[in-house]
Amino acid sequence: MRYIPEEVSAKLASHEMAYDAVKSALIAASDSATIFPVVLAHGSEPTNSYAIKSSAAAELAGLKVGSYWPGNDALGIPRHNSIILLFDQSCGRIRAAVEAGKLNAYRTAASNAVAANALARSDAQTLAVFGAGHQAEYEVRALARIRDLQRVLVVTRNPEKGAQFVSSLNEEGIAAELMEAEEACRVAEIIITVTPANAPLFDAAWVQPGTHVASMGSDSKGKQELPPQLFDRARLFCDLPAQSRQIGEFQHARDAAELTAIGEVLSGLKTGRSGDDDITVFDSSGLSVQDLYVAQTILDLLDA
């Protein structure tokens, strides 16, 4: 069995490699891949949670264990951590274990970027981001690769963390500023939410025609970032409809709401944005097949 420690996978991770791997994974998810039900669990302390996500594609099968330990803030380390296991399908043994704390951040942001590239208006330049945590930084940088972002409007309930986030983006040449939720939503052309929220973060009426909205934080029952009233005005997309209905943002959508897998848009089977005034919503609840593809890409880079 090959073991790839965090230090190695983190050095090889990048927005470029994650984008290509995740795009291929999302297409596979809507085609030949099998995505198995997510197992949600917690540690001895119920606030410490983890999820087991597994899948099988044409040439890859395996699983990811992703943990969320909120108390890690006090330790100065990220709340999220992950490990990906790939099977040797000839005998059922594990052929590779890839630690993926940082890799998972790139993978999640890549899902957002791939969907936004397919759904957001090509001239979108103003981004509103709800949340100023560790993952939000990756999301903004991934989107800055696929759209010419002129303004990043940061909405957060933690002013100190928000100020640090804004400063970090400005230092990288990304023009960012703190802003209240309503004002940010009314001027944004792309809105992303990257929070652990359990209730809508803004009012549906604040979202303007032509806006692309992405929920990146809803990945278990009860989580919610977007107002359900928005869904009646929008075209709805997700990584996997069945999973989104169970643990993603669209657990709060009407039963009759039409959900389209983003992989079908990427492969040309379904239409994405059909006009400049469309509101598009993308829900990313996170798929194991994305993890398998990025883990295999790490192995390929090591063998190159």
Side-chain angles (χ1 to χ4, degrees), residues 100-111:
K102 195 168 187 177
L103 183 62
N104 186 72
Y106 280 106
R107 162 268 207 195
T108 301
S111 177

Side-chain angles (χ1 to χ4, degrees), residues 19 112-120 146-147 212 262 265-266 272-273:
Y19 185 97
N112 187 4
V114 168
N117 206 23
L119 300 174
I146 57 96
R147 289 296 183 272
H212 172 65
I262 191 64
V265 177
L266 298 172
R273 171 175 294 277

Side-chain angles (χ1 to χ4, degrees), residues 39-52 65-70:
V39 175
L40 299 174
H42 60 72
S44 300
E45 175 55 55
T47 57
N48 296 329
S49 61
Y50 63 92
I52 302 171
V65 181
S67 62
Y68 178 74
W69 254 240

